[in-house]
Amino acid sequence: MVTVSLIWGIVVVVCCCLWLILGIRTRRKGEPPLENGLIPYLGCALQFGANPLKFLRANQRKHGHVFTCKLMGKYVHFITNPLSYHKVLCHGKHFDWRKFNFTTSAKVFGHRSIDPNDGHTSENINKTFIKTLQGDALDALTEAMMENLQLVMRPSALPKTKMAAWETEGMYSFCYRVMFEAGYLTFFGKDLTRQDSQRALMLRNLDNFKQFDKIFPALVAGLPIHMFKAAHYAREKLAEGLRHENLRRRNCLSDLVSLRMLLNDQLSTFDDLEKAKTHLAVLWASRANTIPATFWSLFQMIRSPEAMKAATEEVNKTLEDAGQKISFEDNFIRLNQRQLNDMPILDSIIKESLRLSSASLTIWAVKKDFTLDIEDGSFNIRKDDFIAFYPQLMHLDPEIYPDPLTFKYDRYLDENGKAKNTFYSNGVKLKYYIMPFGSGATICPGRLFAVHEMKQFLFLMLSCFELELVDSHVKCPPLDQSRAGLGVLPPLNDIEFKYKFKYL
Ligand code: HEM
């Protein structure tokens, strides 16, 4: 027994020595400063995961604007100077832009790889996204969202007496419910064969989405979904509803979903459930950030009397110019793209809310050894490493944004009340000053639609409802840091608010 323990002891010591000798990278000449961390394989992952902003700021102070960290066995080069972002993007030919996103999608949603290089599909998914989320396709999508938001916000089934009374609800739950349901209907249409059970089905989808989304950070970190029984069940149920046979029963599918169904059938070797899981990935991408971003825009606006006043005036003017009236009858308010784009105050409120709440990590794989030439110097980068941006560092930089933790509704307005795009770092005008949607070839293809739907939501809230916080002095809830890196952070606690229909 003692001998067996001794042998095991020797094996462990030899492994540790081998790891120390072979597993720790040493910094070569011309490479960025290196943080290996103390834990084998994990490297700095625990400190990074606990608070990325704090961790990156500390390294920035120690090493300057460019440094390398070992995270989960990978070497990630962080570029933290916003003046260098543009130059990094000029080195795009050395990046395998989508490798990280493709791998993460397969891991989290449970389909095989959607990278055409892996041979399971030949669909150029980015081309599909751009074709169906931007340009002409954006008109139809935005129009459908406006109608669905109104269907969800003013369900005509409610008796007028109930609608005339104040309703109290958690603001985050309200935003979650409305944006999830309206977004689901906009992308995946309506099941006209089962209208009576439609609502119950939607509520089940909503619960399943919440359950699955809760463990999303754990799945991205590499934990297997089998560890989370309820969330696993929720994911499979959501995917079930998105099988092609179920989608074919639905009317008014978006161009995005119709085209993805066609291309999945023609170009992939995925089975039915895998195809459904690729649709679930689209559902997640379209809702997971929009929901908290909508909450923050509404919350920050309601909390600031000046923001409320300015936004209400802008909304009333748009409504008047469009010759439209809010009524409780069935006619929907419609706004075209020009009218939506001509609301700089709502735009500024949305940008400022995104600045304060978004914490996305943009990460690209490196295809071959190359030298990165940027403002901060020249750095040798090795094949299979990663290049990363963490724009929250810029969003909260007091030199670029004075008083960075304060919500200023007009931060993105110039002296003429038009959109402001002049922000400076070190006296130099920034090309990139707000990046909640990522950048480069992987920049969010749904960003134009996302801003439209948030604006539509705020527009309808302001024009259809009287709004009040239950506690007018309520503190701003903290951001849920467990999701840092994934996009817009939700609030850690909900905030009660009251709403009542106007014009009854
Ligand atoms: C406030 C709302 C949103 C935010 C903050 C947001 C942010 C992001 C970010 C940071 C990325 C990753 C970019 C990168 O890897 O560099 C991304 C990717 C993506 N987003 Fe959004 N997004 C939002 C809404 C939407 C909407 C409404 C859609 C509609 C379908 C959408 C579809 C996608 C897709 C498909 C990708 C993956 C792109 C790829 O890997 O090529 N997003 N988004």
Side-chain angles (χ1 to χ4, degrees), residues 153-155 158-169 174 177 328 464-468 497-504:
M153 281 175 161
R154 1 179 253 183
L158 278 185
K160 275 196 179 187
T161 46
K162 179 129 175 57
M163 299 188 75
W166 282 101
E167 191 71 32
T168 302
E169 197 173 339
F174 178 87
R177 178 170 60 75
F328 188 51
C464 299
F465 298 103
E466 286 177 53
L467 303 167
E468 270 178 31
F497 85 125
K498 295 195 295 184
Y499 56 96
K500 186 166 80 135
F501 274 94
K502 292 178 183 172
Y503 314 112
L504 280 178

Side-chain angles (χ1 to χ4, degrees), residues 36-86:
N36 266 309
L38 292 174
I39 312 175
Y41 182 73
L42 291 181
C44 311
L46 295 183
Q47 298 118 289
F48 177 79
N51 190 335
L53 189 66
K54 191 169 158 207
F55 172 79
L56 294 173
R57 276 180 174 157
N59 277 292
Q60 211 179 22
R61 277 194 298 275
K62 183 169 164 194
H63 299 298
H65 280 304
V66 183
F67 48 87
T68 309
C69 299
K70 184 175 178 183
L71 298 172
M72 309 292 284
K74 310 271 184 244
Y75 289 90
V76 183
H77 307 283
F78 285 95
I79 318 297
T80 64
N81 180 359
L83 290 169
S84 283
Y85 286 169
H86 169 65

Side-chain angles (χ1 to χ4, degrees), residues 115-165:
D115 185 342
N117 294 323
D118 294 332
H120 308 303
T121 174
S122 52
E123 179 186 356
N124 179 338
I125 200 162
N126 187 51
K127 222 164 137 191
T128 310
F129 287 142
I130 291 182
K131 190 168 170 194
T132 56
L133 288 169
Q134 300 177 14
D136 291 344
L138 185 60
D139 276 329
L141 207 57
T142 306
E143 202 178 304
M145 187 69 185
M146 189 68 171
E147 191 170 316
N148 287 322
L149 276 170
Q150 290 172 75
L151 274 178
V152 176
M153 281 175 161
R154 1 179 253 183
S156 41
L158 278 185
K160 275 196 179 187
T161 46
K162 179 129 175 57
M163 299 188 75

Side-chain angles (χ1 to χ4, degrees), residues 97-98 100-102 125-126 129 133 141 187 256 281-283 285-291 293-294 354 358 360-364 435-447 449-451 453-454 485-488:
W97 293 102
R98 296 205 154 68
F100 183 82
N101 289 1
F102 282 154
I125 200 162
N126 187 51
F129 287 142
L133 288 169
L141 207 57
F187 284 103
L256 169 59
V282 170
L283 174 67
S286 80
R287 297 301 89 202
N289 281 307
T290 305
I291 291 167
T294 303
L354 285 170
S358 88
S360 57
L361 173 69
T362 302
I363 187 157
W364 304 300
M435 293 165 69
F437 297 107
S439 53
T442 50
I443 191 168
C444 173
R447 63 196 181 282
F449 175 68
V451 172
E453 60 176 331
M454 284 189 274
L486 294 178
V488 180

Side-chain angles (χ1 to χ4, degrees), residues 66 81 179 243 251 257 409:
V66 183
N81 180 359
M179 293 311 270
R243 278 179 184 269
N251 260 24
V257 173
Y409 86 91

